[in-house]
Amino acid sequence: MSDLPKRVTIDEEGPREGFQSEKKMIPVADKVRLIEALAETGLTHIACVSYVNPKRVPTMADAEEVAAAIRRKPGIHYSALYLNQQGLERALRGPLDVQGSVRITASETFSRKNIGKSVADSLVEQRMSLQTFKDRGMPVEWGVVLGAFGCNYEGELSTELILQRCRQVLDEAEMAGFQLKGIKLTDAMGWATPLSVERLIGAIRSKWPELEISLHLHDTRGTGMAAAYAGLRLGVTKFDASVAGLGGCPFAATEGAAGNICTEDFAFMCEEMGIETGLDIERLIEVAKLAEQVVGRQLPGHVMRGGTLKAAKQRAAQKAAA
Amino acid sequence: MSDLPKRVTIDEEGPREGFQSEKKMIPVADKVRLIEALAETGLTHIACVSYVNPKRVPTMADAEEVAAAIRRKPGIHYSALYLNQQGLERALRGPLDVQGSVRITASETFSRKNIGKSVADSLVEQRMSLQTFKDRGMPVEWGVVLGAFGCNYEGELSTELILQRCRQVLDEAEMAGFQLKGIKLTDAMGWATPLSVERLIGAIRSKWPELEISLHLHDTRGTGMAAAYAGLRLGVTKFDASVAGLGGCPFAATEGAAGNICTEDFAFMCEEMGIETGLDIERLIEVAKLAEQVVGRQLPGHVMRGGTLKAAKQRAAQKAAA
């Protein structure tokens, strides 16, 4: 029997991931409606917008407007993505919760395509952001390694390279006076398999046993849920996911880049295996259906169509009683 | 590091699963085209048709016609499903490969809904089929437990019940003079999670360590690939899957019943983890696209949209060389 965690935290990436990858502009009111509906499902962290260059990501040009319109519930972290100092400053001027972090991209080419900077330049620029966090007394607890499982531009990436990237974010944080408590491994290009998750987490843990790991997996090639299960088996308790499977990275160079693993599918799998998520899956399914209305097309989530086992059991019990 | 198998066999269920669950009638020529295209991908077992009551499954009314039209390649097992003696006799009159087996449904209600008979009656009826196999000198190597992971009509099913069902098929085969080499566990209603796969296989193995296990998993609730990975970790080497994720069971009582795990996604995951499948995934992707044309709608497969890593690596290498 595997040693699965008792509880996991699922951070919702749907609004940010989803709206950035849609081709058509989605009305602010619809974005806000989806975010507010997500806030009723038990989620404690909802990534709402990206403060990025509207020329590169036109569907995020309304980031300020969306952020201002959300009626925020206490106890929920409404986050915003920023990729550089300018984005951070926009985020800090807005009403959302800004989380300090150090980000590094695994491959040079994806770094240039995704954020328009070399790996080294992006670290240098983040020194400003780290100073900003320090000046404001904000904690910096997480490092992020982007595209940690492989690169559509460069191909396979060695474990040694990823360990070096972890070392670089740890060092950069330390130089600024912060000690990271964890590393988030992201896979916007959808290269992770259960085996590569095991290998990479194993390698990181043998070097830094005290570091927490968080996984941000995309289901581009159908391996997302299996890779997440591999993470669960290794005791990972922090995952990103997108309601209905919304999303995709506009700079991932994948034909039909798929979004994150689906929030309600992953939460359903966890709960069925006795892992608490704190989420109301029936409500999440309603929000997933709303997400389909908002983007105007079918999204990849499964349990929203198949129904939960709880619902199936209730129907079964009603039939037995009838 | 997990102890994954070196090689797995993936049996293709797409044509049978897919055509039985489509609402509209698909022309015989299209069915045959898909089956013949699948035969070029390295698959060694393709489930082509079901010899079932055309009143209950109208899209299989052309089973004889389809079976007759397939240009068969040597070395490939083109199979047909039958659910009773009448179906078996139709199958035996046709040109396809008939495999002897003993089938039992885990829940009484699903047995009545799916095959129109109680569990006990279906076993009694199979005595005729077993006699037929014996008379013809056909082997009977596999038992099948249908709906082994839970029931949309009855809810959760106990491990004890499933062990009893395994015992019943083993006994039934033995009474007819056959010793089963394995049990196939099917999950047309999509209840399996990685944990329930582990539990059930663990329980069966502790009782019958010599029995092989085969898994027929549906991705109704998004857990199919993770459940299959749990099977791989336990050394299961025989899986059913459907190209593009075609299919679904017409009698599963699931809103939007989803098909089997997707052949090319599962094969891709296996190959990326160093598990040989013998399949040409790029060709499978072409067939998956053909399957979408044939049914006239988007199917759930992922790697057909995301592309293989091999393709991504080749593009990356070409860019580096340019």
Side-chain angles (χ1 to χ4, degrees), chain A residues 198 219 221 233 255 305 307, chain B residues 198 221 255 302 305 307:
Chain A
E198 278 191 19
D219 200 22
R221 295 173 174 95
R233 285 188 60 96
E255 320 144 29
R305 263 170 278 282
Chain B
E198 278 190 18
R221 297 172 172 96
E255 319 144 29
H302 282 75
R305 263 169 278 282

Side-chain angles (χ1 to χ4, degrees), chain A residues 289-312:
Chain A
K289 290 173 181 169
L290 173 64
E292 287 194 329
Q293 283 172 33
V294 164
V295 300
R297 62 188 169 83
Q298 189 172 313
L299 290 168
H302 281 75
V303 79
M304 67 189 283
R305 263 170 278 282
T308 61
L309 296 184
K310 205 173 147 191

Side-chain angles (χ1 to χ4, degrees), chain B residues 131-194:
Chain B
Q131 189 60 48
T132 307
F133 301 133
K134 215 169 170 182
D135 294 345
R136 292 174 162 246
M138 293 167 65
V140 175
E141 296 184 327
W142 286 85
V144 184
V145 181
L146 290 112
F149 293 95
C151 176
N152 287 345
Y153 301 100
E154 293 192 8
E156 267 169 303
L157 303 173
S158 69
T159 302
E160 290 62 43
L161 176 71
I162 310 305
L163 292 177
Q164 187 196 325
R165 295 304 190 224
C166 293
R167 162 62 63 205
Q168 285 171 287
V169 289
L170 287 164
D171 285 353
E172 206 60 49
E174 204 182 316
M175 277 195 296
F178 297 108
Q179 195 185 345
L180 299 183
K181 78 171 188 187
I183 299 270
K184 182 192 281 199
L185 302 170
T186 80
D187 184 34
M189 292 176 285
W191 280 61
T193 67

Side-chain angles (χ1 to χ4, degrees), chain B residues 7-16 35 38-49 73-82 96-101 103 141-142 184 214 216 238-243 263 277-279 284:
Chain B
R7 193 179 164 87
V8 296
T9 304
I10 303 177
D11 288 352
E12 175 60 36
E13 291 278 309
R16 184 190 68 73
I35 291 164
L38 284 165
E40 304 298 324
T41 63
L43 286 163
T44 53
H45 188 121
I46 304 170
C48 300
V49 297
K73 275 184 72 169
I76 297 182
H77 186 98
Y78 296 85
S79 78
L81 182 81
Y82 53 87
L96 300 186
D97 305 301
V98 179
Q99 209 160 16
S101 67
R103 302 160 60 88
E141 296 184 327
W142 286 85
K184 182 192 281 199
S214 161
H216 173 103
K238 212 165 150 53
F239 293 85
D240 287 350
S242 278
V243 69
T263 306
T277 62
L279 303 183
L284 273 170

